[in-house]
Amino acid sequence: QGQVSGTAVVADVKDRIVLVIDDLCATGNTLIRAAAACNRAGARATHVFFTHAPQPEGLAAVLADPNISSVSTTDSVGLSLSPLPPESLGKLTTLSVATLFGCAVQRLSSGAPLAPLLNDWPPSHEA
């Protein structure tokens, strides 16, 4: 069920900084396996990015993994940080989606296009 079992890295990552991007971190297993594979291939650092973190256990597992240098996500489903150890919070960056959603609703109600919202972060009502 939605698992990635491979450990192959399809690029030369030796001595490079790797960005792993995913849409969802439920258990963290895919991101952890990807970071481990990059580490074995000689990556200098592996940073992970994902949009949704619906389960605090998955986020905690990714933050605790020593192969992962940093974690960036959004608050799209809210983040329950209470079970996370305090020392792992320095690895986490959370981007708010509130302004993006607000701008999107405003644009939809006025008939303006949504595409300009994808050009800059943070989004702006003037975009």
Side-chain angles (χ1 to χ4, degrees), residues 47-116:
H47 303 274
V48 300
F49 302 82
F50 49 88
T51 307
H52 312 291
Q55 299 176 9
E57 299 82 9
L59 180 58
V62 168
L63 286 167
D65 191 276
N67 291 310
I68 296 173
S69 302
S70 71
V71 176
S72 297
T73 187
T74 71
D75 61 356
S76 62
V77 293
L79 292 177
S80 174
L81 300 178
S82 57
L84 301 179
E87 63 274 9
S88 69
L89 295 179
K91 285 175 84 171
L92 179 65
T93 299
T94 306
L95 302 171
S96 174
V97 296
T99 302
L100 176 63
F101 287 173
C103 290
V105 168
Q106 180 183 33
R107 288 178 157 276
L108 287 170
S109 66
S110 68
L114 294 177

Side-chain angles (χ1 to χ4, degrees), residues 1-88:
Q1 173 194 6
Q3 294 184 9
V4 175
S5 59
T7 57
V9 176
V10 189
D12 179 13
V13 298
K14 184 171 175 46
D15 297 322
R16 296 182 186 231
I17 296 172
V18 177
L19 308 179
V20 178
I21 302 170
D22 204 348
D23 62 335
L24 177 71
C25 173
T27 64
N29 290 336
T30 301
L31 296 165
I32 290 168
R33 277 195 300 271
C38 291
N39 183 290
R40 283 191 302 276
R44 188 167 24 135
T46 302
H47 303 274
V48 300
F49 302 82
F50 49 88
T51 307
H52 312 291
Q55 299 176 9
E57 299 82 9
L59 180 58
V62 168
L63 286 167
D65 191 276
N67 291 310
I68 296 173
S69 302
S70 71
V71 176
S72 297
T73 187
T74 71
D75 61 356
S76 62
V77 293
L79 292 177
S80 174
L81 300 178
S82 57
L84 301 179
E87 63 274 9
S88 69

